[in-house]
Amino acid sequence: MQSRDHDTEPLRLYTYWRSSAAYRVRIGLALKALAYESVPVHLLRDGGQQHAAGYRALNPQELVPVLVHGRRVLRQSLAILEYLDECWPQPALLPADARGRARVRALAQAVACDVHPLNNLRVLQFFEQQWAVPQAERETWVRHWIGTGLAALEAMLADDPATGAFCHGDAPGLADCCLVPQLYNARRFGMDVEAWPTLARIERACLALPAFRTAAPEAQPDAPAAS
Amino acid sequence: MQSRDHDTEPLRLYTYWRSSAAYRVRIGLALKALAYESVPVHLLRDGGQQHAAGYRALNPQELVPVLVHGRRVLRQSLAILEYLDECWPQPALLPADARGRARVRALAQAVACDVHPLNNLRVLQFFEQQWAVPQAERETWVRHWIGTGLAALEAMLADDPATGAFCHGDAPGLADCCLVPQLYNARRFGMDVEAWPTLARIERACLALPAFRTAAPEAQPDAPAAS
């Protein structure tokens, strides 16, 4: 545990075990060894608990995660991770130089803006409910955007000397917090992550760290029991 | 013009007049009164100039914008805007306090992650070319996500004392750089922006400033001549 003034105020994370965006924040919290209360929001039960009035008051976007820190309500996974980094600077999720910070943010956003939002639950529900798109076609869509996005990410990382054991240098950071959940998602849709050798290598380095394993979907209190 | 060391290195923006993401960066550059060379990338001509090998080497994501600063290649509009803010801190695009920064980033990401990527050109091309979705249905899709996203943004802004003449306080910043292009886009698809009174009010405050007008699609060198 870190000991700073911030520690006197509790952290509460509204999360869903399989949400890619919540998974990012759980990794950040674990890397910084911050204790928090986990409040599950079941995205499929009760017509989607994220749509309930109580949760909507917390987040009008009706999406997870939300982090509550004392009386502060924080939304959007990348904004939350930057907030954690500003309040608890060590270990840093972003490098110290402007150029490195821009690189890491761009890698994170290539996932968080250009892959994940196209494939999340509400989009797949739209296709099913509004357009009656068959499941096989919905999965083709998901794989198309994961494939497009991760091929670009592989190209951005593979030949760049700034890439190290992790996305940026030899310590995990913001980009790794986004990469690992996205690869988890790729695997869920039957994709072979070895198609992107640099990403697969970085994922192995991440998953060797306890923080990433603690944050994993299957390790969450709201994950269904293994059969 | 600001006078700092950074000024000795030229800025070059790869842009398309109607790209919402490029528009954001143009607003940021204009707010900071930074001179730059504008390199148009026509997203529809030649099968999409963003897919040409030369551009792909600059940005494997094959998306605009890219900002080149000296030898540094910067990608992703929000990462670029934060970079500008770190290199040229005045006028600031982000507030000084961690809580305010988190709020502004979340507002910006509510647009840049959860509205825009669902509606951009490559997605609409996928629907047309892969699924033969008729134009009317494609427009229903666009309006659905703009409507969902901007209603949430309105709720996030309307009752929050941190909202001022602009999204955060009484000076324009990162969230406004995202809001104005998204409202431009809403109007393109025939939506009445007065449905979101706080957003419409902030848009008026923004468009009263020369920086926002300079950055507007119709003011770009690559915009088609008005008929």
Side-chain angles (χ1 to χ4, degrees):
Chain A
M1 291 302 107
Q2 310 210 12
S3 58
R4 293 173 63 90
D5 289 352
H6 309 289
D7 273 357
T8 60
E9 296 191 281
L11 290 165
R12 196 162 66 245
L13 182 69
Y14 292 81
T15 176
Y16 179 65
W17 67 290
R18 228 172 192 179
S19 155
S20 189
Y23 187 179
R24 290 175 203 146
V25 173
R26 295 193 306 254
I27 296 169
L29 288 162
L31 284 169
K32 290 180 181 288
L34 293 166
Y36 64 96
E37 178 195 356
S38 180
V39 182
V41 179
H42 201 298
L43 302 186
L44 297 166
R45 204 169 287 162
D46 312 324
Q49 296 177 348
Q50 72 279 23
H51 303 306
Y55 189 77
R56 198 165 61 234
L58 212 56
N59 187 4
Q61 286 202 277
E62 304 175 29
L63 297 169
V64 292
V66 164
L67 183 73
V68 177
H69 180 210
R71 289 157 319 177
R72 290 176 283 287
V73 176
L74 305 156
R75 303 169 184 129
Q76 287 287 341
S77 62
L78 296 189
I80 293 170
L81 287 163
E82 296 242 11
Y83 176 83
L84 294 178
D85 216 35
E86 293 182 2
C87 291
W88 293 275
Q90 298 303 327
L93 299 178
L94 284 161
D97 62 306
R99 181 185 189 168
R101 295 163 72 85
R103 178 177 183 269
V104 168
R105 287 182 177 128
L107 295 170
Q109 290 164 18
V111 171
C113 297
D114 293 326
V115 179
H116 174 66
L118 294 163
N119 292 339
N120 72 4
L121 178 66
R122 61 184 195 160
V123 168
L124 301 181
Q125 285 177 335
F126 183 100
F127 289 149
E128 185 178 5
Q129 294 164 10
Q130 307 294 316
W131 286 356
V133 177
Q135 184 175 342
E137 284 298 295
R138 298 198 303 268
E139 292 186 4
T140 300
W141 159 274
V142 168
R143 283 190 287 265
H144 175 79
W145 296 114
I146 293 177
T148 302
L150 295 188
L153 203 63
E154 174 72 24
M156 288 158 82
L157 287 166
D159 295 323
D160 189 329
T163 306
F166 296 90
C167 285
H168 192 81
D170 292 326
L174 185 71
D176 306 287
C177 291
C178 294
L179 173 64
V180 167
Q182 189 58 63
L183 290 176
Y184 171 88
N185 229 347
R187 219 174 259 115
R188 256 184 85 187
F189 285 90
M191 302 180 82
D192 178 8
V193 305
E194 298 299 330
W196 312 290
T198 310
L199 307 188
R201 169 179 71 70
I202 293 170
E203 186 194 36
R204 280 190 291 276
C206 289
L207 294 180
L209 300 176
F212 283 82
R213 293 202 301 270
T214 303
E218 285 70 20
Q220 300 316 300
D222 60 324
S227 55
Chain B
M1 291 305 108
Q2 311 209 10
S3 57
R4 294 173 62 92
D5 290 352
H6 311 287
D7 274 359
T8 59
E9 296 190 279
L11 290 165
R12 194 162 70 245
L13 181 70
Y14 291 81
T15 176
Y16 179 64
W17 67 290
R18 228 172 193 181
S19 155
S20 188
Y23 188 178
R24 290 175 204 147
V25 173
R26 295 194 306 255
I27 296 169
L29 288 162
L31 284 169
K32 290 179 180 288
L34 294 166
Y36 65 95
E37 178 194 357
S38 181
V39 182
V41 179
H42 201 298
L43 302 187
L44 297 166
R45 204 169 286 161
D46 312 324
Q49 294 176 349
Q50 73 278 24
H51 304 305
Y55 188 76
R56 199 167 56 234
L58 212 54
N59 186 4
Q61 286 203 277
E62 303 174 31
L63 296 169
V64 291
V66 164
L67 184 72
V68 177
H69 180 210
R71 289 157 319 176
R72 289 177 283 286
V73 176
L74 305 155
R75 304 168 184 131
Q76 287 286 342
S77 61
L78 296 189
I80 294 170
L81 286 164
E82 296 241 12
Y83 177 83
L84 294 178
D85 216 36
E86 293 182 3
C87 291
W88 294 276
Q90 296 304 326
L93 298 178
L94 283 162
D97 61 307
R99 181 184 188 170
R101 294 163 74 86
R103 178 177 183 267
V104 168
R105 286 181 178 129
L107 295 169
Q109 290 164 17
V111 171
C113 298
D114 293 325
V115 180
H116 174 66
L118 294 163
N119 292 338
N120 73 3
L121 178 66
R122 61 184 194 160
V123 168
L124 301 181
Q125 286 177 335
F126 183 101
F127 289 149
E128 185 177 5
Q129 295 163 10
Q130 306 296 316
W131 287 355
V133 176
Q135 185 175 341
E137 285 297 295
R138 299 198 302 267
E139 293 186 4
T140 299
W141 160 275
V142 168
R143 283 190 288 266
H144 174 79
W145 296 113
I146 294 177
T148 302
L150 294 188
L153 203 63
E154 173 72 23
M156 287 159 82
L157 287 166
D159 295 321
D160 190 329
T163 306
F166 296 90
C167 285
H168 193 81
D170 292 326
L174 184 71
D176 306 288
C177 291
C178 294
L179 173 64
V180 167
Q182 189 56 63
L183 290 176
Y184 172 89
N185 230 347
R187 219 175 258 112
R188 256 183 86 187
F189 285 90
M191 301 180 84
D192 177 8
V193 304
E194 298 298 331
W196 312 290
T198 310
L199 308 187
R201 168 178 72 70
I202 293 170
E203 186 194 35
R204 281 191 290 277
C206 290
L207 295 179
L209 300 177
F212 283 82
R213 293 201 300 273
T214 304
E218 286 70 21
Q220 301 316 299
D222 59 326
S227 56

